[in-house]
Amino acid sequence: MYYIDPHIHMVSRTTDDYETLAKMGCVAMSEPAFWAGYDRGSVDGFRDYFRQLTSFEPKRAGWYHLQHFTWMCINAKEAENVKLSREVIAMMPEFLDMPGVLGVGEIGLNKNTKNESIVFLEHLDLAAKRGEQILIHTPHLEDKFKGTSMIVDMLCDDRRLQHDRVLVDHVEEHTVRMVLEEGFWAGMTLYPVSKCTPERAVDMVELYGPERLMVNSAGDWGPSKPTAVPDFIMAMRRRGHPESLIRKIVYDNPVEFFSQSRNFNFTPPEGMPVAAMK
């Protein structure tokens, strides 16, 4: 089955991983900007990183006929440095109109601090002024419910934002409802050590239905599995769900959401519709 991974950090993966993803049925991926494992010290460090996301990674993906899209931001883990964050946000428009750049992300909260909230709100302001789509990171484990609640409140307070153009990622059983009820898209991240398993993601599909739900691998430099989306496909099949429902979550929904971005110039594989299935 063809699928799209809507959140995967390919800068941390090998070229062999691109080949494996193509063989597993992946046809496209979106790669949010994220934390490199260390705090970068200058705006030029981010400019070089954004160049990699917008030039080299699409090229590597293209070697295996994969389509690569990306997002720009400074991650919440580096938001304690508000001065640097503001320099990065001021620089981001250099890249937001480039081919394949879908919007602002992954922004959000990590430890739910005051500085993280300041930087999150300034990202939202940039996105609102430019009409950008938004992809959001929610905190890990013990910080998740409080952080997700804070994020949803800040999003709802900004009347300029269209909720159906915002994807709130890393939802779990105790946060998915608040995201969907406010009209946002929700991403379930399949991770071997935290976040969500394929079986738990299937549970959430069965509880809440397939509308505005996606699954991703978040494959990054930590313990993670870039082929986690095919694991979800198999888990859905083991529960007896039809192929049309599975395809809606792993292919049609990402196409529908990303199609709201002016830079999503996606070429569907042969036999697949250009427009998303409703």
Side-chain angles (χ1 to χ4, degrees), residues 165-213:
R165 298 189 72 223
V166 178
L167 169 59
V168 180
D169 231 328
H170 315 322
V171 298
E172 295 181 34
E173 291 87 340
H174 58 315
T175 59
V176 62
R177 179 189 293 274
M178 72 173 85
V179 171
L180 293 175
E181 284 185 345
E182 292 295 345
F184 303 112
W185 287 75
M188 301 177 288
T189 298
L190 310 173
Y191 230 45
V193 294
S194 64
K195 299 186 176 73
C196 187
T197 64
E199 290 75 20
R200 287 169 55 199
V202 177
D203 290 343
M204 283 187 269
V205 171
E206 292 173 345
L207 283 170
Y208 297 100
E211 297 300 329
R212 288 181 284 113
L213 269 180

Side-chain angles (χ1 to χ4, degrees), residues 10-270:
M10 294 306 296
V11 296
S12 302
R13 312 304 310 191
T14 66
T15 300
D16 288 344
D17 287 333
Y18 275 113
E19 181 177 13
T20 299
L21 290 172
K23 289 177 178 176
M24 297 290 281
C26 185
V27 295
M29 68 267 298
S30 93
E31 176 163 7
F34 84 135
W35 190 53
Y38 62 93
D39 290 351
R40 283 157 283 210
S42 72
V43 67
D44 284 337
F46 279 90
R47 185 177 281 110
D48 289 342
Y49 173 47
F50 293 166
R51 285 178 180 145
Q52 181 180 8
L53 290 176
T54 54
S55 60
F56 186 59
E57 292 308 323
K59 182 184 296 183
R60 280 210 301 164
W63 293 339
Y64 300 97
H65 304 285
L66 290 160
Q67 297 171 75
H68 180 280
F69 302 91
T70 189
W71 305 72
M72 301 288 111
C73 80
I74 177 168
N75 189 273
K77 287 189 176 183
E78 291 166 286
E80 287 304 320
N81 188 337
V82 175
K83 178 177 180 295
L84 175 59
S85 298
R86 286 174 170 157
E87 292 174 356
V88 174
I89 291 170
M91 178 269 291
M92 283 168 53
E94 295 178 22
F95 293 88
L96 287 170
D97 288 325
M98 295 182 70
V101 179
L102 300 180
V104 174
E106 59 180 304
I107 59 174
L109 301 177
N110 182 46
K111 292 296 182 182
N112 307 330
T113 68
K114 179 181 178 181
N115 283 345
E116 291 174 12
S117 296
I118 290 170
V119 172
F120 177 70
L121 289 171
E122 294 188 12
H123 274 112
L124 293 186
D125 184 60
L126 174 68
K129 287 176 176 174
R130 291 182 50 92
E132 305 288 350
Q133 283 199 276
I134 299 170
L135 192 156
I136 292 177
H137 165 94
T138 52
H140 299 261
L141 301 175
E142 69 273 15
D143 298 310
K144 182 171 289 292
F145 184 82
K146 178 183 178 183
T148 305
S149 299
M150 292 170 62
I151 287 168
V152 168
D153 287 345
M154 287 188 279
L155 290 168
C156 291
D157 285 344
D158 193 330
R159 300 297 179 88
R160 300 171 297 174
L161 301 177
Q162 295 177 240
H163 291 197
D164 62 352
R165 298 189 72 223
V166 178
L167 169 59
V168 180
D169 231 328
H170 315 322
V171 298
E172 295 181 34
E173 291 87 340
H174 58 315
T175 59
V176 62
R177 179 189 293 274
M178 72 173 85
V179 171
L180 293 175
E181 284 185 345
E182 292 295 345
F184 303 112
W185 287 75
M188 301 177 288
T189 298
L190 310 173
Y191 230 45
V193 294
S194 64
K195 299 186 176 73
C196 187
T197 64
E199 290 75 20
R200 287 169 55 199
V202 177
D203 290 343
M204 283 187 269
V205 171
E206 292 173 345
L207 283 170
Y208 297 100
E211 297 300 329
R212 288 181 284 113
L213 269 180
M214 293 185 243
V215 291
N216 65 75
S217 72
D220 54 33
W221 48 260
S224 55
K225 187 176 182 183
T227 56
V229 176
D231 291 344
F232 168 81
I233 293 171
M234 292 304 298
M236 288 284 285
R237 286 173 175 161
R238 284 195 293 271
R239 298 270 187 103
H241 291 295
E243 295 293 292
S244 59
L245 174 63
I246 302 171
R247 186 177 65 247
K248 177 170 177 56
I249 297 167
V250 303
Y251 181 90
D252 297 334
N253 280 356
V255 170
E256 181 180 349
F257 177 72
F258 295 148
S259 293
Q260 299 178 88
S261 172
R262 62 187 178 280
N263 292 327
F264 186 63
N265 296 313
F266 176 64
T267 302
E270 186 174 349

